[in-house]
């Protein structure tokens, strides 16, 4: 692992974390203002507001920790940790917004 790629990946993950927070905040507010949601649906939107950025920050921190522990370059795959969370949220938000 090289320090340059760890720094670049960490900066990208931190930016993704902030962007995912904004995506969830604005999309959840738009869905909640337009539709009547039950408590479970609102709970999922509220949880996503914290989980998506946290997964980005965790993966950035874990890869930085792996760099200091001199782990192999396969630790870069931890940068992909937020991808399923963001994908599932986008699918959920689109389906929730399209329901009548």
């Amino acid at each position: 692992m090289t320090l340059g790629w760890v720094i670049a990946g960490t900066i990208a993950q931190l930016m993704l974390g902030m962007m995912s927070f904004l995506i969830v905040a604005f999309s959840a507010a738009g869905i909640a203002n337009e539709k009547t949601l039950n408590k479970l649906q609102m709970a999922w939107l509220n949880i996503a507001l914290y989980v998506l950025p946290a997964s980005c920050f965790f993966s950035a921190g874990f890869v930085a920790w792996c760099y200091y522990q001199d782990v192999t370059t396969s630790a870069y795959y931890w940068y992909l940790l937020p991808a399923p969370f963001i994908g599932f949220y986008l699918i959920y938000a689109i389906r929730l917004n399209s329901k009548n």
Side-chain angles (χ1 to χ4, degrees):
M1 295 180 71
T2 62
L3 182 61
W5 283 113
V6 171
I7 291 172
T10 300
I11 290 171
Q13 284 292 351
L14 296 177
M15 290 171 43
L16 179 65
M18 291 183 282
M19 188 174 69
S20 66
F21 176 81
L22 290 174
I23 288 171
V24 174
F26 286 109
S27 65
I31 293 169
N33 283 335
E34 184 178 315
K35 307 238 183 247
T36 303
L37 303 175
N38 62 32
K39 287 185 180 184
L40 182 62
Q41 292 168 331
M42 282 302 296
W44 279 112
L45 293 174
N46 289 333
I47 289 170
L49 188 63
Y50 300 107
V51 169
L52 268 63
S55 67
C56 296
F57 301 147
F58 174 78
S59 67
F62 189 74
V63 173
W65 178 80
C66 288
Y67 172 77
Y68 289 113
Q69 296 297 318
D70 203 24
V71 178
T72 63
T73 57
S74 63
Y76 287 131
Y77 288 117
W78 279 96
Y79 283 137
L80 297 174
L81 176 69
F85 292 111
I86 293 171
F88 288 137
Y89 173 75
L90 290 175
I91 291 169
Y92 178 71
I94 291 169
R95 294 189 73 200
L96 189 61
N97 195 31
S98 66
K99 287 186 179 180
N100 293 332

